[in-house]
Amino acid sequence: MRYLPLLFLTLLPGCTPTAQPGPPTASETSAARPGLQDRIAFLEQYVTFRRSYVELEYAVDYQNNGGGRVPGPSDWDIQIVAVVPPAEVDDWLPSAVTKMEQPPPEWVKNTASGIASDEITEWYTEGNSITVGVDRQTSTIAYRNVNY
């Protein structure tokens, strides 16, 4: 019985988290990084795909919830507006999609300050979390992935 406090003190450090799995918590827009390569390097921390970009703008809100006593799923809202090589436009379309024709939602206009996005009218959704818009004439993509 007298060793119980010593056992408790020995095991306690193992119960505290030492590292958060996944990328760090961030709230950033592309205005924070003027260079294309810097923007790509930052964005690739928060998306699982790798793409080529001619121009890139983004808004990343990512909350890493993996560092608590009981790690939980992370929350995010990843918004991308980009000009991509024409041959890569279809790479952006989700596999199980529903197609819609509509004007760009407000988040696209807020994310794209330097990329024309008014002609993105071809839209696809996958579930409730992924939305992709395409302007095939200019190879402009609007992408949003939300998980709350």
Side-chain angles (χ1 to χ4, degrees):
M1 198 64 155
R2 67 180 199 198
Y3 295 108
L4 190 58
L6 181 59
L7 178 64
F8 179 72
L9 289 175
T10 304
L11 295 176
L12 184 60
C15 295
T16 58
T18 56
Q20 293 182 347
T25 295
S27 182
E28 179 177 304
T29 67
S30 51
R33 299 172 192 268
L36 179 61
Q37 292 308 314
D38 290 338
R39 289 179 178 190
I40 293 169
F42 174 79
L43 182 63
E44 286 184 346
Q45 296 176 76
Y46 299 94
V47 295
T48 57
F49 53 80
R50 299 296 173 256
R51 301 282 193 264
S52 300
Y53 302 94
V54 176
E55 295 179 60
L56 172 63
E57 296 188 69
Y58 61 78
V60 171
D61 284 309
Y62 185 88
Q63 175 63 47
N64 186 326
N65 295 322
R69 289 201 182 273
V70 178
S74 295
D75 303 315
W76 62 80
D77 186 353
I78 310 294
Q79 302 170 16
I80 301 169
V81 178
V83 177
V84 303
E88 297 180 20
V89 167
D90 287 332
D91 294 344
W92 285 87
L93 302 180
S95 57
V97 298
T98 302
K99 185 177 178 182
M100 306 173 296
E101 299 287 335
Q102 67 182 48
E106 197 63 33
W107 66 265
V108 174
K109 296 172 188 167
N110 293 337
T111 303
S113 62
I115 298 174
S117 60
D118 293 339
E119 298 302 316
I120 300 174
T121 57
E122 185 179 325
W123 289 91
Y124 300 87
T125 61
E126 182 175 30
N128 293 327
S129 61
I130 296 177
T131 304
V132 179
V134 177
D135 176 357
R136 292 183 186 272
Q137 295 287 74
T138 61
S139 300
T140 302
I141 302 294
Y143 170 91
R144 187 175 193 185
N145 187 339
V146 178
N147 181 54
Y148 289 119

